């Protein structure tokens, strides 16, 4: 018996041992680098989270760090001073990460600092040093707080030495000193000879002659927003002559007239390259000149003609029809014709020709029947923002009807701007709340999760910088002027 059992045990030595199952160690699933890049890209406006992501591992650090340092912005002198001191020891790899130097938000309000103390913090020589320290810089923006720093030498480095820069934004720079510096730079580039003649029918003919080749072909986005001090003939036209490939141009609030649009049409590539054109509050440009030029612009997506014009100088109904019936009207995503001669026929033209619109401004429209506005919203299924300020058909009794239409059609619109005097008499309506920006802009905003808050303010620009418009209020993207 024993002789029979022993061979069996030796044949299977583990027969009486307990078998313990081996636990499988789970591994982190592989995530393609392009997916990581997309995810981290969505956090580009959340610097704190990006900084944390950069510490996760080498892969996250590789993709998070360039996004983290893509835009370097300063609000107060102290942080700028720290940055300026660090530029002397900055590594070559890090210097290539910075693509946008944003000084537009620099302010000393509430810090009890004078303009003279600011000039000690940021000097022209220091700014030149910083510009030269970042060879991959693509965008530069500055505002009126630092306009005294912009000298002829700074402009030479900014425009001529920084060959990778394609976006330059001067916002609100209106001092005499800034105007002189920009005029000197335009003269340095080379003037444009303007010849005005009359033909046999007494029609004015304008020709432009420039001896030099364009020196700023790399500049694609230029903003002179609210810079009224700049001369049209001696500064703006020469600058435009040397930047023939612009895609974004903001001359809102500048002292420009028909001559500028005439030159853009014949002296540059603007009719085929411009996608964003902002002429808000340009009172000296005639209605006919605007319509003639816009009709030629085949790539236009954003057009801002908002003004504070009276009936006599407003953009005429016939010229609005020329714009709205042009071949490029189907590409419009943002259109502001506020204070123009907006009639029921204009609303019909918008419905029929501008199906891609996301932002629309028709303030002071001559509309007395609210049904026309409701029909417009029903037809414009992509609309997210609309300005209905000072339209006579709205009153405290019938405004609810507009929101009934929106709810019935499940319309995606989430911001409706209206007059302050009207909204002060109204209250929140079925998921919509009333808000305002610094007492200037009043609007209804839908309380919807996942959308950037309409009440978020941005002190400057519309889609001119490369960081994107996601952090800006739709109101300020749309109008492109500050609070």
């Amino acid at each position: 018996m024993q002789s029979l059992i022993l061979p069996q045990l030796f044949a299977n030595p583990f027969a009486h041992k307990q078998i313990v199952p081996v636990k499988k160690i789970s591994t982190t699933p592989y995530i393609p680098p392009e997916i990581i890049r997309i995810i981290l890209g969505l956090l580009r406006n959340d610097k704190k989270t990006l900084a944390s992501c950069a510490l996760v591992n080498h892969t996250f650090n590789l993709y998070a760090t360039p996004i983290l340092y893509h835009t370097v912005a300063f609000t107060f002198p102290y942080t700028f001073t720290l940055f300026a001191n660090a530029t002397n020891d900055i590594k070559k790899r890090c210097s290539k990460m910075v693509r946008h130097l944003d000084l537009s938000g620099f302010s000393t309000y509430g810090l009890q600092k004078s303009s003279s103390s600011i000039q000690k913090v940021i000097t022209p020589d220091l700014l030149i040093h910083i510009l030269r320290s970042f060879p991959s810089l693509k965008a530069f923006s500055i505002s009126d707080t630092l306009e005294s720093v912009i000298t002829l030498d700074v402009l030479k480095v900014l425009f001529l030495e920084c060959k990778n820069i394609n976006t330059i934004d001067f916002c609100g720079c209106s001092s005499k000193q800034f105007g002189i510096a920009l005029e000197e730079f335009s003269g340095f580039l080379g003037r444009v000879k303007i010849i005005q003649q009359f033909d046999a029918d007494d029609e004015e003919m304008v020709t432009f002659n420039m001896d030099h080749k364009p020196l700023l072909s790399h500049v694609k986005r230029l903003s002179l927003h609210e810079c009224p001090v700049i001369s049209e003939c001696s500064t703006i036209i020469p600058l435009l002559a040397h930047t023939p490939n612009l895609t974004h141009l903001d001359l809102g609030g500048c002292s420009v007239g028909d001559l500028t649009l005439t030159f853009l049409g014949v002296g540059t590539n603007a009719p085929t390259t411009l996608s964003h054109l902002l002429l808000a509050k340009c009172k000296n440009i005639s209605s006919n000149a605007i319509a003639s030029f816009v009709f030629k612009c085949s790539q236009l997506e954003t057009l801002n003609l908002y003004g504070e014009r009276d009936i006599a100088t407003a953009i005429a109904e016939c010229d609005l029809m020329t714009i709205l019936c042009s071949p490029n009207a189907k590409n419009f995503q943002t259109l502001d014709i506020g204070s123009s001669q907006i009639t029921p026929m204009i609303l019909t033209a918008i419905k029929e020709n501008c199906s891609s619109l996301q932002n629309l401004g028709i303030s002071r429209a001559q509309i007395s029947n609210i049904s026309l506005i409701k029909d417009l919203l029903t037809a414009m299924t992509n609309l997210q923002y609309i300005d209905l300020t000072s339209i006579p058909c709205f009153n405290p009794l019938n405004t609810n009807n507009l929101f009934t239409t929106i709810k019935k059609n499940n319309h995606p619109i989430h911001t409706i701007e209206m007059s302050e005097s009207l909204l002060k008499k109204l209250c929140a309506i079925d998921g919509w709340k009333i808000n305002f920006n610094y007492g200037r802009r009043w609007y209804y905003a839908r309380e919807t999760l996942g959308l950037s808050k309409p009440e978020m303010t941005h002190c400057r620009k519309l889609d001119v910088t490369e960081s994107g418009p996601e952090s800006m209020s739709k109101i300020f993207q749309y109008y492109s002027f500050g609070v």
Side-chain angles (χ1 to χ4, degrees):
M1 188 67 160
Q2 186 176 2
S3 60
L4 291 175
I5 294 175
L6 286 174
Q8 291 179 3
L9 289 175
F10 283 107
N12 186 8
F14 301 105
H16 295 282
K17 291 186 177 181
Q18 184 178 3
I19 300 175
V20 179
V22 178
K23 293 183 179 180
K24 293 184 178 181
I25 301 174
S26 59
T27 58
T28 304
Y30 171 74
I31 303 177
E34 56 270 21
I35 301 299
I36 296 176
R37 190 184 300 114
I38 292 172
I39 294 172
L40 294 178
L42 297 174
L43 299 172
R44 60 181 172 271
N45 295 316
D46 189 347
K47 300 295 186 182
K48 185 176 181 180
T49 303
L50 269 179
S52 299
C53 291
L55 301 176
V56 172
N57 54 38
H58 290 293
T59 302
F60 271 55
N61 181 275
L62 180 66
Y63 294 112
T65 305
I67 302 172
L68 187 62
Y69 292 104
H70 178 280
T71 300
V72 178
F74 303 98
T75 306
F76 302 115
Y78 175 72
T79 52
F80 178 85
T81 301
L82 293 176
F83 170 77
N85 293 335
T87 56
N88 295 320
D89 303 320
I90 197 166
K91 295 181 179 179
K92 187 175 181 180
R93 175 176 173 266
C94 295
S95 68
K96 292 183 178 180
M97 292 181 184
V98 178
R99 302 301 177 90
H100 178 200
L101 179 60
D102 185 5
L103 302 176
S104 64
F106 192 94
S107 174
T108 57
Y109 293 118
L111 298 180
Q112 297 181 346
K113 290 184 177 292
S114 64
S115 58
S116 60
S117 63
I118 298 173
Q119 295 174 14
K120 293 178 182 179
V121 174
I122 304 181
T123 64
D125 290 340
L126 180 56
L127 184 55
I128 289 173
H129 169 71
I130 291 173
L131 290 172
R132 287 172 172 166
S133 298
F134 299 100
S136 300
L137 204 63
K138 288 189 174 183
F140 174 82
S141 50
I142 200 166
S143 64
D144 53 329
T145 307
L146 297 175
E147 59 186 346
S148 60
V149 182
I150 303 299
T151 62
L152 176 59
D153 290 335
V154 170
L155 291 173
K156 287 180 179 179
V157 173
L158 177 64
F159 279 96
L160 299 175
E161 291 189 26
C162 301
K163 292 295 186 180
N164 289 317
I165 280 191
N166 58 32
T167 300
I168 297 178
D169 178 7
F170 302 108
C171 183
C173 297
S174 57
S175 69
K176 185 177 180 180
Q177 178 183 342
F178 172 78
I180 292 173
L182 205 58
E183 185 171 351
E184 289 177 346
F185 178 70
S186 299
F188 175 80
L189 293 175
R191 300 292 187 188
V192 176
K193 189 176 182 180
I194 304 172
I195 303 172
Q196 293 177 291
Q197 298 175 328
F198 293 88
D199 60 14
D201 298 325
D202 205 29
E203 292 286 336
E204 184 181 19
M205 299 176 60
V206 182
T207 56
F208 304 89
N209 293 322
M210 186 175 68
D211 297 333
H212 307 279
K213 291 183 178 180
L215 300 177
L216 309 176
S217 298
H218 57 284
V219 178
K220 301 296 178 64
R221 302 180 177 193
L222 178 65
S223 170
L224 300 173
H225 186 78
E226 293 290 354
C227 298
V229 72
I230 303 175
S231 168
E232 179 179 34
C233 295
S234 62
T235 305
I236 292 180
I237 289 179
L239 271 179
L240 295 177
H242 286 277
T243 53
N245 301 320
L246 291 175
T247 59
H248 293 59
L249 177 61
D250 187 349
L251 297 176
C254 288
S255 301
V256 294
D258 294 2
L259 196 62
T260 297
L261 293 188
T262 301
F263 177 74
L264 280 172
V266 300
T268 70
N269 301 323
T272 57
T273 61
L274 272 185
S275 61
H276 292 63
L277 177 63
L278 298 101
L279 301 173
K281 299 191 288 184
C282 291
K283 300 178 181 180
N284 298 327
I285 304 179
S286 69
S287 174
N288 179 63
I290 292 173
S292 299
F293 178 69
V294 171
F295 188 86
K296 300 175 185 177
C297 296
S298 58
Q299 304 298 320
L300 214 55
E301 297 177 3
T302 293
L303 178 62
N304 190 336
L305 303 176
Y306 174 82
E308 297 170 353
R309 304 173 180 236
D310 53 27
I311 298 297
T313 60
I315 301 176
E317 181 186 53
C318 60
D319 292 319
L320 287 177
M321 289 300 297
T322 299
I323 294 172
L324 295 172
C325 295
S326 62
N328 57 355
K330 65 180 182 298
N331 301 323
F332 289 165
Q333 295 183 21
T334 295
L335 176 66
D336 185 355
I337 52 176
S339 300
S340 303
Q341 293 182 9
I342 305 169
T343 62
M345 185 169 67
I346 297 301
L347 297 187
T348 300
I350 292 174
K351 289 190 295 184
E352 294 177 350
N353 302 310
C354 306
S355 57
S356 300
L357 274 183
Q358 297 179 15
N359 304 298
L360 174 63
I362 53 173
S363 62
R364 301 186 185 180
Q366 302 165 23
I367 306 297
S368 57
N369 188 345
I370 193 175
S371 297
L372 297 176
I373 303 295
K374 292 163 63 176
D375 292 343
L376 175 70
L377 287 178
T378 301
M380 308 300 292
T381 55
N382 294 318
L383 210 60
Q384 299 178 17
Y385 177 93
I386 191 169
D387 180 8
L388 303 175
T389 305
S390 301
I391 297 181
C393 66
F394 287 100
N395 58 60
L397 297 178
N398 65 9
T399 304
N400 278 338
N401 295 335
L402 184 69
F403 292 93
T404 301
T405 301
I406 292 172
K407 184 176 181 180
K408 179 181 178 181
N409 296 318
N410 196 25
H411 200 287
I413 193 167
H414 59 73
T415 308
I416 302 176
E417 187 168 355
M418 291 183 168
S419 303
E420 174 184 354
S421 57
L422 175 62
L423 292 191
K424 281 186 174 180
K425 301 175 183 177
L426 299 174
C427 57
I429 301 175
D430 192 20
W432 293 75
K433 62 179 180 179
I434 296 174
N435 214 327
F436 63 92
N437 291 87
Y438 293 91
R440 177 180 290 188
R441 313 290 290 278
W442 287 71
Y443 55 93
Y444 266 111
R446 191 200 296 264
E447 298 175 344
T448 306
L449 296 176
L451 291 173
S452 56
K453 297 179 181 179
E455 62 269 22
M456 287 176 63
T457 59
H458 187 281
C459 58
R460 292 304 168 199
K461 298 301 301 163
L462 154 89
D463 195 25
V464 174
T465 64
E466 291 199 337
S467 59
E470 288 78 6
S471 63
M472 301 183 194
S473 160
K474 293 294 181 183
I475 291 176
F476 292 104
Q477 289 180 47
Y478 172 55
Y479 270 94
S480 183
F481 58 67
V483 297

